[in-house]
Amino acid sequence: MKPENQTNILEFLLLGFSQYPEHQPMLFGLFLLMFVVTVLGNLLIILAVSIDSHLHTPMYFFLSNLSFSDIGFISTTIPKMLVNIQTQSKSISYAECITQFYFFMLFGGMDTLLLTVMAYDRFVAICHPLHYSVIMNSQLSGLLVLVSWFISFSYSLIQSLLMLRLSFCTNQIIKHFYCEYAKALTIACSDTLINHILLYIVIWVLGFIPFSGILYSYYKIFSSILRIPSTDGKYKAFSTCGSHLSVVSLFYGTGLSVYLSSDATSSSGKDVVASVMYTVVTPMLNPFIYSLRNKDIKKALKTLGRILLLK
């Protein structure tokens, strides 16, 4: 793009749900409720895993990190949107937008890597049960989480720094309810080739490659389950990974639909709804999926409830 319209951008305008002015009070209440439920639900999972020694295993260690990541994920976008709805404003400062870029990519990338690590954990537990405690020891579990955080921190920082080098035109409108990276690139005046190349690399490295790893893990898991002679044995084996499979289906089903079926310049309602499912609904449902389908989590939550009532 030609640089004649270039200016020092101090803020952007987020269209969000501004095309539905009559529904703003309802949207505010709905998103506030989902935000509170998400934070409290994931916080309860973290506390339950922390207080119950029976849950001090790799699977629940990964789950508590996923819950922490989900809290950060939804906290990156929803509070600002709620403020804008309440104040009837569409603006977000340049610094806030870059900050949203960074933390959105950080926690979104962390979710994909943790789900992959959890799939590997289930693969070892079902396909190599006799060696599970040796393979998935505390050192490896900690290392896997540490590497996941390092990768997420690194690529988020690189993406944000590359965004800082861009200049923007007088068109300051981002057709979304948060500072979505791909849509922000469309309003830049300077060359975005490097940004787009890195964005596509990130989608492959943190999208398709982890998803392929999850698919391979579940291919091996289902192959092992089918070789179990008894029906009860098959059900017990499948129940240990049912919650994770549900979360993976929800996360990747909504996330991939956003990046595969939508144009970066589109502002269709379907695009926004898919993004809401990906960024809001999925983190909110994760605690329910894991607690409703898991007897150990239910027991730990009851223990946590008794402790809180005694205090």
Side-chain angles (χ1 to χ4, degrees):
M1 298 179 65
K2 295 182 179 180
E4 59 264 26
N5 290 330
Q6 181 175 325
T7 184
N8 292 323
I9 295 294
L10 297 178
E11 66 178 20
F12 296 97
L13 297 179
L14 301 176
L15 290 188
F17 298 93
S18 58
Q19 65 268 38
Y20 309 110
E22 69 279 8
H23 297 145
Q24 295 301 299
M26 182 190 69
L27 289 172
F28 179 84
L30 178 62
F31 281 105
L32 177 60
L33 177 62
M34 289 193 291
F35 177 72
V36 172
V37 169
T38 301
V39 172
L40 290 180
N42 283 287
L43 187 59
L44 285 175
I45 294 292
I46 294 172
L47 292 175
V49 172
S50 300
I51 65 169
D52 194 333
S53 59
H54 295 95
L55 300 183
H56 293 174
T57 63
M59 180 176 71
Y60 294 110
F61 173 64
F62 299 140
L63 176 59
S64 61
N65 275 272
L66 180 65
S67 293
F68 177 79
S69 181
D70 281 341
I71 292 174
F73 196 37
I74 195 172
S75 299
T76 300
T77 57
I78 299 305
K80 179 59 180 177
M81 186 183 71
L82 293 175
V83 170
N84 282 4
I85 292 177
Q86 185 67 19
T87 60
Q88 297 183 354
S89 170
K90 303 176 186 177
S91 65
I92 182 171
S93 70
Y94 179 77
E96 287 177 320
C97 198
I98 296 297
T99 303
Q100 265 200 355
F101 288 146
Y102 177 78
F103 285 105
F104 185 87
M105 291 183 287
L106 168 65
F107 291 117
M110 192 62 192
D111 273 6
T112 63
L113 293 174
L114 282 173
L115 289 174
T116 307
V117 169
M118 294 170 77
Y120 175 70
D121 174 77
R122 293 300 83 202
F123 161 73
V124 176
I126 294 175
C127 298
H128 305 283
L130 299 179
H131 303 286
Y132 177 77
S133 59
V134 177
I135 298 174
M136 296 303 299
N137 54 62
S138 57
Q139 289 82 8
L140 179 61
S141 300
L143 180 62
L144 288 172
V145 171
L146 185 62
V147 169
S148 298
W149 279 111
F150 176 77
I151 293 173
S152 299
F153 274 120
S154 300
Y155 98 88
S156 301
L157 181 61
I158 294 172
Q159 289 273 46
S160 300
L161 291 176
L162 285 175
M163 181 62 74
L164 286 173
R165 59 180 279 275
L166 299 179
S167 56
F168 293 87
C169 303
T170 53
N171 177 20
Q172 307 168 26
I173 297 175
I174 297 178
K175 299 176 181 179
H176 222 298
F177 63 89
Y178 65 93
C179 281
E180 207 270 333
Y181 194 84
K183 285 184 169 55
L185 292 179
T186 64
I187 62 174
C189 288
S190 48
D191 185 15
T192 60
L193 177 61
I194 296 177
N195 299 75
H196 277 104
I197 291 175
L198 184 59
L199 179 61
Y200 295 138
I201 291 174
V202 166
I203 290 175
W204 274 99
V205 173
L206 293 180
F208 291 104
I209 292 178
F211 186 57
S212 299
I214 292 173
L215 290 178
Y216 177 76
S217 295
Y218 274 102
Y219 165 74
K220 301 296 288 186
I221 287 171
F222 289 144
S223 298
S224 297
I225 290 176
L226 291 176
R227 289 196 295 267
I228 298 176
S230 67
T231 303
D232 290 341
K234 291 179 180 178
Y235 176 79
K236 185 177 179 180
F238 182 77
S239 64
T240 63
C241 59
S243 297
H244 177 261
L245 186 59
S246 300
V247 171
V248 167
S249 301
L250 185 62
F251 181 83
Y252 276 98
T254 56
L256 290 177
S257 68
V258 171
Y259 291 100
L260 292 181
S261 65
S262 65
D263 189 333
T265 60
S266 171
S267 59
S268 67
K270 290 183 179 180
D271 185 15
V272 174
V273 170
S275 296
V276 169
M277 291 293 296
Y278 171 58
T279 61
V280 182
V281 177
T282 300
M284 181 184 68
L285 292 181
N286 285 354
F288 293 99
I289 293 173
Y290 276 103
S291 60
L292 293 176
R293 299 175 61 93
N294 192 302
K295 294 180 180 179
D296 293 331
I297 291 290
K298 286 182 181 179
K299 184 178 178 181
L301 289 174
K302 289 179 180 178
T303 303
L304 177 60
R306 287 194 294 267
I307 293 174
L308 294 176
L309 288 174
L310 289 175
K311 290 185 177 181

